[in-house]
């Protein structure tokens, strides 16, 4: 019976330490910020994708002599 009470006390102590820990919350906050930045980068790349592709096409055309002088 003493072993059961010892395990129960250790488990409760562990759960309370997780509840009061601030490091986990800080890590989650930084993860959310990183995810928001990643979404913003993806949105910018997709919105400018056509313009960027056209720019490379124009440069390629000029370099291969396909454009007018």
């Amino acid at each position: 019976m003493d072993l059961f009470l010892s395990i129960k006390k250790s488990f409760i102590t562990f759960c309370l330490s997780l509840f009061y820990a601030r490091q986990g919350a800080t890590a989650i906050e930084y993860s959310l910020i990183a995810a928001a930045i990643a979404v913003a980068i993806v949105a910018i790349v997709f919105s400018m994708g056509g313009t960027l592709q056209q720019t490379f096409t124009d440069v390629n055309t000029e370099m291969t002599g396909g454009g007018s002088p």
Side-chain angles (χ1 to χ4, degrees), residues 9-24:
K9 182 179 178 184
S10 296
F11 180 73
I12 290 173
T13 303
F14 175 71
C15 290
L16 288 175
S17 70
L18 288 178
F19 181 73
Y20 289 111
R22 290 294 303 159
Q23 291 177 347

Side-chain angles (χ1 to χ4, degrees), residues 5-50:
L5 291 177
S6 175
I7 293 172
K8 180 181 174 185
K9 182 179 178 184
S10 296
F11 180 73
I12 290 173
T13 303
F14 175 71
C15 290
L16 288 175
S17 70
L18 288 178
F19 181 73
Y20 289 111
R22 290 294 303 159
Q23 291 177 347
T26 302
I28 291 172
E29 290 167 357
Y30 283 130
S31 299
L32 290 173
I33 291 170
I37 291 171
V39 168
I41 290 171
V42 168
I44 290 170
V45 168
F46 276 121
S47 68
M48 295 183 65

Side-chain angles (χ1 to χ4, degrees), residues 58 61-69:
D58 292 344
T61 304
E62 291 296 324
M63 290 180 69
T64 57
S68 58

